[in-house]
Amino acid sequence: MTDKYEAVIGLEVHVELKTKSKAFCHCATSFGAEPNTHVCPICLGMPGVLPVLNRQMVEYALMTALALNCRIADYCKFDRKNYFYPDLPKNYQISQYDLPIARSGSLVIETKNGQRAIGINRVHMEEDAGKLVHKGNIITTPYSLVDLNRAGTPLLEIVSEPDLRSPGEARVYMEQLRLILLYLGVSDCKMEEGSLRCDANISVRPQGQQQLGTKTEIKNLNSFRSLERALDYEITRQIEALAQGERIIQETRTWDEDRQVTMSMRSKEEAHDYRYFPDPDLPPLRIDRDWVERVRRSLPELPEQARRRLSEEYNLSRYDALLLTASKDILDFFDDCVARYPKPKVVANWITGDLARLLNQSKLEIGDCRVTPALLVGLLKLLDEGTISGKIAKAVLEEMFTTGEAPDKIVKD
């Protein structure tokens, strides 16, 4: 049955920006504080207060939009998105509606059939809502607690075109987007803390049909695994409903991780339901072209640029380049090693082989382990000199990983 239908998926990704203060006030954005302590009259929506735009938020938005090949607007504005929810103290969210800061970008992903560009519809700035802490499942909870520390935190919303065709592609897109954001340094992207969240819009249609089917939205998916599983379930649910002659309802659904099902929350709102209008307290923003070019020149090396460099300068395979750019810390570790020991293929083999195995077993990131680039290079030099064999080198690496001692000392002992 599934081979008769095609899935159409678009993602709305919300990124908390790594600024020290909130979008429109001086309150701190640090995670984990006592509930309702990082608040002030502005982010609590008290009468008579005025928001002031955080410049760093705009700069991070420009960096992200440029990294995603977007067209930067000369002029953008902020709007009020009106809705009532317990974690929204103003009863509106400051966002951007018809004139966002950037549009028309793209992000290239690796698929089983090769590389493919996924369209980016828009990137816009907004403020985050607070956090509701539920007693169990959001549908069945007897009560929820409100923590407004997060209210007003700077957010970017990155909206893809409906170009994704499978849960696997959606996961790869999210992973690649997260990697770019981490390389830029604009967000810590800690999904477990809510600083990277995703809403997925999903519909199905008969193979070959151009018209889009009725979509549902799955809200607040906060892990790659949840995203993939929720989409898998929802695709199957919609196909089975259509096969039985049922009509798909445009609605917002939530993912129940325990039961591995999506559940209906409410009918899906349309844009006009939010009664958007320009925020009267925030003037429109004109983006200076010189500022955009300064930001463009300041962009760090991005993952795809690093992969090309590793392939072209060091003649490494695409597979090795993908592994070595899986995080900025791994790439920095590799570059540091090669600067000390100019045998890139040897270094790559040890990092992606034995060191990666030890890191996976210990559930550690490369920046947290005791083996430094200097220590790994010391081990490789002992191997070159014939002081130790390859088999002994692997044993010495394990001892280095456990103790942090220098390889020559371990060998001497």
Side-chain angles (χ1 to χ4, degrees), residues 207-358:
Q207 289 282 0
Q209 178 179 300
Q210 295 302 307
Q211 183 181 351
L212 295 174
T214 302
K215 69 180 179 181
T216 60
E217 180 185 38
I218 311 172
K219 294 288 286 186
N220 289 331
L221 298 164
N222 60 2
S223 75
F224 300 128
R225 185 176 67 174
S226 293
L227 170 64
E228 200 166 5
R229 289 181 174 179
L231 287 172
D232 263 327
Y233 176 87
E234 187 62 14
I235 290 168
T236 301
R237 184 190 73 83
Q238 290 190 22
I239 290 173
E240 289 178 350
L242 292 173
Q244 294 170 13
E246 298 176 14
R247 186 170 61 89
I248 303 298
I249 300 170
Q250 183 166 311
E251 62 181 346
T252 297
R253 300 178 70 86
T254 186
W255 172 244
D256 188 317
E257 187 66 42
D258 295 329
R259 295 170 55 202
Q260 297 286 296
V261 298
T262 64
M263 298 185 297
S264 179
M265 291 173 64
R266 58 182 180 268
S267 61
K268 178 73 178 99
E269 303 87 350
E270 301 287 355
H272 63 260
D273 292 325
Y274 291 115
R275 294 172 291 122
Y276 284 97
F277 64 87
D279 193 301
D281 294 333
L282 288 161
L285 187 63
R286 293 196 179 275
I287 309 296
D288 184 74
R289 288 296 106 182
D290 290 339
W291 186 16
V292 174
E293 291 310 310
R294 286 198 303 273
V295 172
R296 192 191 304 275
R297 290 193 297 270
S298 73
L299 290 179
E301 183 181 50
L302 296 174
E304 189 55 36
Q305 295 169 327
R307 290 168 196 144
R308 286 199 299 268
R309 173 172 64 85
L310 297 183
S311 298
E312 293 169 5
E313 289 187 18
Y314 302 135
N315 200 30
L316 295 178
S317 68
R318 178 73 179 176
Y319 179 74
D320 281 344
L322 285 168
L323 293 177
L324 292 170
T325 56
S327 80
K328 185 70 166 60
D329 286 342
I330 295 173
L331 179 63
D332 289 344
F333 191 100
F334 170 81
D335 284 336
D336 196 340
C337 287
V338 172
R340 301 165 187 263
Y341 181 82
K343 295 184 179 180
K345 181 58 179 171
V346 175
V347 172
N349 288 344
W350 279 87
I351 292 175
T352 61
D354 291 275
L355 184 56
R357 173 178 57 81
L358 294 170

Side-chain angles (χ1 to χ4, degrees), residues 142-210:
Y143 65 86
S144 300
L145 303 176
V146 182
D147 178 5
L148 295 176
N149 281 347
R150 197 173 69 185
T153 296
L155 275 187
L156 288 185
E157 183 169 341
I158 302 168
V159 182
S160 82
E161 298 288 0
D163 292 344
L164 299 159
R165 292 294 175 266
S166 71
E169 283 190 1
R171 177 174 183 150
V172 170
Y173 169 89
M174 272 290 288
E175 290 173 340
Q176 180 64 10
L177 178 57
R178 178 178 182 271
L179 194 59
I180 289 171
L181 296 167
L182 288 171
Y183 270 63
L184 290 172
V186 301
S187 174
D188 61 25
C189 294
K190 294 180 179 177
M191 298 184 81
E192 69 278 7
E193 294 181 4
S195 55
L196 183 67
R197 309 189 296 276
C198 174
D199 299 340
N201 293 294
I202 171 73
S203 64
V204 298
R205 63 186 178 188
Q207 289 282 0
Q209 178 179 300
Q210 295 302 307

Side-chain angles (χ1 to χ4, degrees), residues 116-157:
R116 196 156 72 82
I118 305 301
I120 304 292
N121 178 280
R122 60 189 277 147
V123 175
H124 70 253
M125 298 176 285
E126 60 186 22
E127 61 180 347
D128 208 347
K131 182 179 180 181
L132 291 179
V133 182
H134 306 295
K135 180 72 173 178
N137 184 282
I138 186 173
I139 301 296
T140 59
T141 181
Y143 65 86
S144 300
L145 303 176
V146 182
D147 178 5
L148 295 176
N149 281 347
R150 197 173 69 185
T153 296
L155 275 187
L156 288 185
E157 183 169 341

Side-chain angles (χ1 to χ4, degrees), residues 357-374:
R357 173 178 57 81
L358 294 170
L359 289 168
N360 289 336
Q361 288 174 355
S362 304
K363 293 182 171 58
L364 286 175
E365 300 294 332
I366 199 165
D368 301 323
C369 79
R370 293 186 172 95
V371 180
T372 64

